[in-house]
Amino acid sequence: RVAAPPEFPPMNVWAGSDGAVVTAEIPGVVPEELDIAVHQNTVTLRGRRTAQPPADDAVVHRQERVTGAFARNLVLPFRVDGDRVKATFRNGVLRLDLPRPEADKPHKITVSRI
């Protein structure tokens, strides 16, 4: 049996009452070539990682790094305010700050005595 390849890029996701934070490891990708879209509760990340060709006389002994086009969808348990999403890229790691719309945030209800 052959194991399924891991999804690319690998992601970490943290969610709280204000929204979510997603980090994705994408070394070798140029940030300007990323396509990030948000629609309701789904985040889509697309891009391409190009291979560094070996020298003409080189023999490849191992090739484990994934290259080529990639696309990854992430479905969150709440809608995202697309106008307030922030994306930053540092040292090969993409960070997405995905805030919830104010109207969708949970509200604490206080019970009063009568």
Side-chain angles (χ1 to χ4, degrees), residues 2-10 64-66 72:
V2 177
E7 293 206 51
F8 186 84
E64 296 180 351
R65 294 187 62 203
V66 178
R72 186 102 192 252

Side-chain angles (χ1 to χ4, degrees), residues 64-88:
E64 296 180 351
R65 294 187 62 203
V66 178
T67 59
F70 60 86
R72 186 102 192 252
N73 288 320
L74 175 66
V75 178
L76 296 170
F78 50 79
R79 292 184 321 123
V80 174
D81 184 348
D83 293 332
R84 294 179 32 228
V85 171
K86 291 182 185 172
T88 55

Side-chain angles (χ1 to χ4, degrees), residues 54-111:
D56 289 337
D57 62 342
V59 175
V60 176
H61 289 277
R62 182 177 300 238
Q63 186 170 348
E64 296 180 351
R65 294 187 62 203
V66 178
T67 59
F70 60 86
R72 186 102 192 252
N73 288 320
L74 175 66
V75 178
L76 296 170
F78 50 79
R79 292 184 321 123
V80 174
D81 184 348
D83 293 332
R84 294 179 32 228
V85 171
K86 291 182 185 172
T88 55
F89 189 82
R90 182 175 180 199
N91 297 329
V93 177
L94 173 69
R95 177 186 168 114
L96 300 174
D97 290 286
L98 306 165
R100 289 176 86 159
E102 287 297 323
D104 285 1
K105 288 183 183 179
H107 297 281
K108 183 174 173 95
I109 306 299
T110 303
V111 177

Side-chain angles (χ1 to χ4, degrees), residues 29-52:
V29 174
V30 179
E32 293 79 17
E33 294 181 6
L34 289 172
D35 179 16
I36 304 166
V38 176
H39 180 69
Q40 296 182 1
N41 67 333
T42 303
V43 179
T44 302
L45 174 61
R46 288 187 178 91
R48 173 175 292 282
R49 188 159 74 167
T50 56
Q52 297 293 328

